[in-house]
Amino acid sequence: MPIADLLTLLCAGVFALTHLQIHRLGFLERDARHAWLSFSGGVAVAYVFLHVLPELGSHQEVFAEALGLPEETAEAWVYSLALVGLATFYGLERLAKASRARSREQRGEDRVEGELFWLHLGPFGLYNLLIGYLLLHREEPGLWSLAIYFVAMALHFVTTDLGLREHHKERYERRGRWLLAGAVLGGWALGLAVALPPLAIGGLFAFLAGGVVLNVLKEELPEERGTRFWPFGLGTLLYGALLLAG
């Protein structure tokens, strides 16, 4: 196996371990939001605004060429797919919160109802599948591109996993974390076996970008999260400077 593929496999393995070992990071959830989580959120926000969103522009060119569209129309298509990704994960978050509210009212349990477990977790499995696939099929190849993608996604997984663990409690421990770990490894294996055309990769990336934007902001913006500005700002500034230097 080429060394580049081994490196991406190592990254996928670390992503999977992040899901499987998230219960060991319970100290991050205590009381006010831990500074490390706000720092991670800052890193993810910097990655979104300085890397993900600009990269959508390059996919717009792929759409224009492959579909024979004017550049303005191609741009609208790309950002519409990103909007669909954002709206999808916003809908999932609202679904989870409404379900937890019903559980508290009807059963005195603060968790998503069991019948909605797979409906809520399934799209996150696809989200992870895309992240694993894009380890091998990023727009910009090379070690630097892999490194910034790996760091941003690994920290992003920590914050999203803690949110999912809060929603599902022990169901996430028993089944959810295994689903997400398997999905990211499955995405890597799919990327090794199948090379989708640039148009498909562009569409998947745009959808993923919208999901990343929503999942980052929903963890950092709500007041009840008790987020900390200075660690968040430090993460944004340090990772932003790193991206600009690269």
Side-chain angles (χ1 to χ4, degrees):
M1 182 181 291
I3 187 66
D5 291 345
L6 285 174
L7 285 174
T8 57
L9 176 59
L10 177 62
C11 291
V14 173
F15 288 163
L17 281 174
T18 300
H19 293 303
L20 295 178
Q21 299 300 315
I22 196 66
H23 62 285
R24 299 184 183 277
L25 301 178
F27 68 92
L28 296 177
E29 300 174 291
R30 286 199 289 265
D31 302 323
R33 190 176 183 83
H34 199 281
W36 174 250
L37 287 181
S38 288
F39 179 85
S40 299
V43 168
V45 166
Y47 181 74
V48 164
F49 281 92
L50 296 180
H51 187 81
V52 172
L53 295 182
E55 196 167 319
L56 287 177
S58 63
H59 288 294
Q60 145 193 345
E61 297 174 6
V62 172
F63 271 62
E65 182 178 342
L67 299 176
L69 299 172
E71 286 192 8
E72 296 80 4
T73 305
E75 182 181 35
W77 274 99
V78 169
Y79 282 93
S80 292
L81 287 171
L83 179 60
V84 169
L86 186 148
T88 297
F89 284 94
Y90 176 74
L92 290 171
E93 181 67 10
R94 297 306 306 164
L95 174 74
K97 287 187 174 181
S99 179
R100 285 179 68 184
R102 286 194 300 271
S103 290
R104 287 193 296 268
E105 182 180 340
Q106 297 173 7
R107 293 187 288 273
E109 297 177 350
D110 186 18
R111 63 181 181 184
V112 173
E113 297 157 302
E115 58 269 25
L116 295 179
F117 175 78
W118 294 113
L119 180 62
H120 186 239
L121 261 289
F124 280 94
L126 294 176
Y127 182 77
N128 275 27
L129 193 77
L130 292 179
I131 290 173
Y133 182 86
L134 290 173
L135 278 169
L136 288 157
H137 298 282
R138 301 176 312 283
E139 179 70 20
E140 298 178 12
L143 187 58
W144 175 250
S145 171
L146 177 63
I148 62 173
Y149 182 75
F150 167 73
V151 171
M153 290 299 101
L155 293 176
H156 177 52
F157 279 147
V158 171
T159 55
T160 55
D161 271 42
L162 289 173
L164 291 170
R165 190 166 178 255
E166 180 185 350
H167 278 320
H168 295 283
K169 305 299 190 291
E170 73 279 359
R171 291 193 187 99
Y172 185 78
E173 296 294 321
R174 292 199 311 267
R175 296 189 291 271
R177 62 192 179 115
W178 294 97
L179 166 69
L180 299 187
V184 76
L185 290 172
W188 177 86
L190 183 64
L192 197 64
V194 178
L196 295 173
L199 180 63
I201 291 177
L204 292 173
F205 181 85
F207 179 84
L208 178 64
V212 170
V213 169
L214 188 281
N215 285 314
V216 166
L217 296 183
K218 79 178 177 66
E219 292 297 327
E220 284 302 317
L221 293 184
E223 185 177 349
E224 67 270 15
R225 297 288 192 191
T227 53
R228 302 186 184 187
F229 174 75
W230 291 114
F232 176 83
L234 181 62
T236 303
L237 287 173
L238 288 180
Y239 203 70
L242 191 63
L243 289 172
L244 293 174

